[in-house]
Amino acid sequence: MIGRGKGEGRTARRGGAKDHGTRPGNEDRTAPRGRRGSRSAGRDRLRPARLSPLDHLRTGASGLRARPTRVVLSALGIAIGIAAMVSVVGISASGRADLEATLARLGTDLITVAPGSTLFGGNATLPEEARGRIDRMPEVERTARVESVGGANVYRSDLVPKAESGGIGVYGVDVDLLDTLRAETALGEWFNGATADHPAVVLGASAAERLGVTRITPDTLVLIGDVYFAVVGVLEPVELAPELDNAALVGQGAAEELLGATGDASMVYVRVDPERISEVRELIGRNANPERPNEVEVSRPSDALAAGQAADRTLQGLLLGLGGVALLVGGVGVANTMVISVLERRGEIGLRRALGATRGAIRVQFLVEAMALSLLGGVFGVALGAVVTLVFALVRGWPFALPWWAGVGAVAATVAIGAVAGLLPALRAAAQHPIGALSAD
Amino acid sequence: MSVREESGGREGFRETVPAVEFVGVSRVHPGGVRALDGVDLRVERGEMVAIVGPSGSGKSTVLNLVGTLDAPTEGTVRVFGHDVGALDDGALSALRARSLGFVFQRFHLAPNVRAVDDVADGLLYTGSPARVRRTRAVEALTRVGLADRIDHRPHELSGGQRQRVAIARAVVGAPALLLADEPTGALDTASGAAVMDLLHELHRDGVTVLVITHDRESAALAPRRVEVRDGRVVADSATVSVSAREGRS
Ligand SMILES: Nc1ncnc2c1ncn2[C@@H]1O[C@H](COP(=O)(O)OP(=O)(O)OP(=O)(O)O)[C@@H](O)[C@H]1O
Ligand SMILES: [Mg+2]
């Protein structure tokens, strides 16, 4: 009754001809069930069966399922390393996405032209006709100029001591400035033709904060020099012209009339055809000051924004290095776990050999186990890294961005680490003598 | 020797290739210990042989050689006609997977694995698909009387039940030759007797069984007894056992 019962199924399962188990003593009983046959000695070639990939996977995973705590602990090192690397990539990608969004909003077609210094180190000035000549360049779409008015301090009232004026700069500006910079008002409004010549002022974002201007009423006044100006508006931060954030902007007419402005431009903001921006950069200095083009300073504020982003690279490199070290330590942890596992499971190895596992099958089993262990850490690490990136992006108000290759790369890296870490233990397991393994401990 | 004569007498009807054949087999361990010393042995298909002898006499060595888990240092071991010394690892593994079943004193059940999965692993290296392995495992567990325990894990089973799971795993692939090294060594008398009954049943169904036992009673019940001492076969009740078997069938 035992072992026999299903004679037919047995034969089929073995593919018929491979049966060495022809039993001489039982012909009469077994023959009618069809499992006898006149097979001879069973000297047919012996070929080990191949395990399906799924069986390899299942067998490799079985070792992990039996020891969950150890799995978690040894996968942790890998997880931390991968999480560090993924979050570095994710955070920098999110930062870049934010920068790109900002640049798309602000445009990369803004150029500033300012007087530089003379050959002898003195302050140069822009010629009066500079703006007009720039305006006439065919690539230029629009311009706006500002004049820095020296010597005029800004206070909320005459009761505030001079020392607390906060270094707020005063600029005489054109009405065009707002549109040229694509700046926006947070409170009140920008100048119009009427207010530009009156003692009216628009404050930059941080200047308004320092002066304590949080709302605008008809009697919100600030003192510039010794003249009271009515605050008509407050700007949002101007990313392409951060110098205007801590500034009080007055109409050019009022600046000349009331604050002694001279009419010399201290900066010309130029919007150009984005396709031809590099040509413009070459030519604009000569147009602004044909006699001394080297006394003109031309720059592109969007470059400065991008450069600020690039400055984070050192930190990124450091974090990536740390992640790499964690990953290395994690790999050593996996190797260590596998070595112990092989020692502990000598009985299992011997048993599997007795059940017909080839050395190759044992090798694959432990290799798969190491790779699965490492992969587990990797997948967890990618998830953790994504969460860190998400939180960071939320805090910074960035869009979340994590390039797909970071996830794929991390997973591939962990599988490779697992393979390397598991190689030696797997070879050892396969080399183990089945008897030694069975009679162990 | 007498077995050979026996088989000669039944020439026209039985296979000429025995299940096991030892010719001048010695096994010398690196330290110089002669675990076996020039053993000749022949076990026909369908026999049940009890190997007895004092501790350290070489019983396990014999079984390991038959099971191709070990190789002789001198002489030839043939299992179903295959010269074990001439086979590579792949062929030996195939032989074990298809034709041999092992039962150990310590059951070697995987911790925390359900009986049915453990038994199914007995077929893992035969290349049968998972579904088939499971079906056969349930059948094998039913055959050893554990139909109601298929989902139990080792710690939920008694020692005797564990050994029966191990036997189910050994026979799930329907091996032609079952090797049991003190299968009752870790069991009480009653469970031990149940396990021996199981082996006898398998034998009756046509499986060749080699069992090492310290238990005089179980040994006495075996159709053939081979006694090993100091690495040599000192007694073999072959003639008696074969006659007994013939009388039965
Ligand atoms: N790996 C080994 N290295 C050295 N000597 C060994 C080794 N394995 C077994 N022996 C020796 O070989 C001899 C036979 O051992 P074996 O295990 O076959 O005995 P046994 O009859 O099964 O004993 P028991 O009844 O105690 O299980 C013993 O003297 C033993 O010490
Ligand atoms: Mg022994």
Side-chain angles (χ1 to χ4, degrees):
Chain A
M1 151 221 193
I2 304 160
R4 239 6 26 100
K6 308 283 173 189
E8 301 86 343
R10 248 193 87 218
T11 308
R13 175 159 26 107
R14 285 192 175 176
K18 306 276 166 18
D19 194 354
H20 305 281
T22 46
R23 278 133 195 144
N26 299 290
E27 261 103 339
D28 42 347
R29 194 141 32 111
T30 48
R33 293 196 219 156
R35 52 164 305 283
R36 272 299 285 153
S38 52
R39 266 166 258 124
S40 61
R43 279 174 212 265
D44 44 338
R45 268 177 303 139
L46 289 167
R47 285 260 185 78
R50 276 180 180 282
L51 265 66
S52 71
L54 191 66
D55 281 337
H56 275 307
L57 215 60
R58 228 192 308 241
T59 311
S62 71
L64 299 181
R65 237 180 299 130
R67 296 163 192 79
T69 320
R70 185 186 297 177
V71 167
V72 168
L73 289 179
S74 52
L76 205 61
I78 299 272
I80 290 171
I82 289 292
M85 296 180 119
V86 166
S87 50
V88 166
V89 172
I91 286 171
S92 93
S94 299
R96 214 173 311 122
D98 178 61
L99 177 70
E100 271 160 26
T102 306
L103 292 180
R105 184 161 46 81
L106 302 172
T108 53
D109 53 351
L110 186 78
I111 283 178
T112 60
V113 178
S117 43
T118 63
L119 265 180
F120 310 104
N123 288 335
T125 50
L126 283 181
E128 245 168 82
E129 329 77 55
R131 185 186 176 191
R133 276 199 294 261
I134 293 170
D135 260 335
R136 281 192 293 279
M137 290 172 69
E139 302 89 350
V140 167
E141 285 167 0
R142 68 188 306 163
T143 61
R145 55 167 290 291
V146 299
E147 177 184 353
S148 175
V149 182
N153 288 323
V154 184
Y155 313 100
R156 182 67 201 271
S157 76
D158 51 7
L159 301 176
V160 178
K162 279 195 184 222
E164 286 175 31
S165 66
I168 298 169
V170 180
Y171 289 90
V173 302
D174 291 342
V175 177
D176 286 1
L177 184 68
L178 192 76
D179 290 339
T180 305
L181 292 177
R182 284 180 214 153
E184 280 171 17
T185 51
L187 294 173
E189 53 197 30
W190 183 245
F191 300 109
N192 52 42
T195 49
D197 293 331
H198 288 104
V201 64
V202 171
L203 297 173
S206 45
E209 200 180 311
R210 290 198 183 170
L211 295 169
V213 176
T214 51
R215 61 202 186 92
I216 294 170
T217 60
D219 38 83
T220 308
L221 303 175
V222 294
L223 189 61
I224 301 178
D226 47 13
V227 182
Y228 276 103
F229 280 70
V231 178
V232 293
V234 172
L235 292 180
E236 293 280 8
V238 188
E239 278 138 305
L240 287 179
E243 63 274 10
L244 299 184
D245 287 345
N246 192 25
L249 314 178
V250 300
Q252 181 65 26
E256 285 176 17
E257 211 167 294
L258 302 168
L259 301 172
T262 57
D264 288 339
S266 61
M267 179 85 88
V268 182
Y269 298 98
V270 186
R271 284 281 177 188
V272 302
D273 180 350
E275 309 276 291
R276 306 169 72 176
I277 193 143
S278 48
E279 304 154 48
V280 176
R281 278 189 85 157
E282 298 274 311
L283 297 172
I284 203 162
R286 228 169 303 147
N287 274 288
N289 192 346
E291 278 97 58
R292 298 189 199 84
N294 54 325
E295 287 181 9
V296 178
E297 215 165 71
V298 178
S299 67
R300 189 179 178 194
S302 54
D303 287 352
L305 281 182
Q309 194 78 22
D312 288 353
R313 288 279 152 77
T314 336
L315 186 65
Q316 278 173 31
L318 195 72
L319 285 172
L320 277 179
L322 277 178
V325 170
L327 214 51
L328 191 72
V329 172
V332 171
V334 168
N336 185 42
T337 302
M338 291 310 297
V339 168
I340 292 171
S341 188
V342 169
L343 285 178
E344 276 181 356
R345 286 156 66 194
R346 300 184 63 194
E348 178 193 331
I349 295 166
L351 177 78
R352 287 186 184 277
R353 298 280 279 135
L355 291 177
T358 57
R359 284 200 198 98
I362 297 292
R363 203 156 43 223
V364 172
Q365 178 187 339
F366 281 89
L367 212 54
V368 168
E369 182 171 326
M371 291 196 285
L373 180 58
S374 181
L375 179 66
L376 220 61
V379 169
F380 185 66
V382 170
L384 196 66
V387 169
V388 169
T389 303
L390 186 66
V391 169
F392 199 91
L394 281 177
V395 168
R396 284 281 184 102
W398 290 350
F400 171 82
L402 185 60
W404 63 268
W405 55 259
V408 172
V411 164
T414 49
V415 171
I417 289 170
V420 171
L423 189 62
L424 211 68
L427 289 176
R428 269 209 214 171
Q432 217 147 79
H433 200 283
I435 298 175
L438 279 170
S439 56
D441 71 60
Chain B
M1 320 300 106
S2 42
V3 173
R4 246 169 251 199
E5 281 156 37
E6 261 304 315
S7 65
R10 301 171 54 174
E11 201 77 84
F13 157 53
R14 80 181 310 163
E15 306 272 347
T16 49
V17 176
V20 179
E21 194 176 19
F22 277 32
V23 183
V25 171
S26 295
R27 176 67 170 96
V28 183
H29 286 287
V33 181
R34 262 185 186 271
L36 280 191
D37 191 8
V39 169
D40 294 308
L41 181 70
R42 186 176 163 113
V43 177
E44 300 299 334
R45 294 167 186 241
E47 276 196 282
M48 176 161 185
V49 182
I51 302 175
V52 296
S55 183
S57 55
K59 306 182 295 294
S60 296
T61 307
V62 169
L63 217 65
N64 290 334
L65 287 168
V66 173
T68 77
L69 297 174
D70 198 2
T73 44
E74 286 159 46
T76 308
V77 172
R78 287 199 197 88
V79 178
F80 296 114
H82 296 284
D83 180 350
V84 169
L87 298 181
D88 63 8
D89 182 64
L92 289 177
S93 300
L95 185 63
R96 285 180 218 135
R98 290 181 203 146
S99 306
L100 304 181
F102 294 84
V103 180
F104 304 96
Q105 179 177 349
R106 284 175 305 121
F107 326 115
H108 286 296
L109 299 187
N112 227 0
V113 170
R114 294 178 309 153
V116 63
D117 295 329
D118 213 320
V119 173
D121 261 1
L123 283 171
L124 181 62
Y125 302 100
T126 61
S128 21
R131 197 172 25 79
V132 174
R133 296 202 298 265
R134 200 196 138 82
T135 315
R136 304 278 173 229
V138 174
E139 286 168 12
L141 281 168
T142 309
R143 274 178 241 141
V144 299
L146 290 177
D148 54 343
R149 295 282 189 278
I150 58 171
D151 283 331
H152 285 229
R153 293 161 205 276
H155 64 269
E156 299 162 339
L157 296 168
S158 74
Q161 288 169 336
R162 284 183 215 179
Q163 190 61 298
R164 280 193 276 162
V165 172
I167 292 175
R169 182 179 59 197
V171 301
V172 68
L177 176 57
L178 184 67
L179 306 170
D181 192 342
E182 296 188 49
T184 61
L187 305 178
D188 62 64
T189 321
S191 334
V195 163
M196 285 310 291
D197 282 350
L198 219 46
L199 296 184
H200 279 283
E201 254 176 57
L202 285 163
H203 165 238
R204 243 174 279 127
D205 286 340
V207 181
T208 310
V209 178
L210 259 69
V211 54
I212 296 177
T213 178
H214 275 301
D215 181 35
R216 301 230 151 264
E217 247 176 275
S218 336
L221 286 173
R224 177 180 170 192
R225 276 176 315 287
V226 170
E227 189 173 345
V228 184
R229 199 176 284 268
D230 294 331
R232 293 165 199 268
V233 174
V234 294
D236 188 341
S237 68
T239 321
V240 180
S241 77
V242 173
S243 322
R245 192 155 43 76
E246 275 181 336
R248 208 190 56 236
S249 50

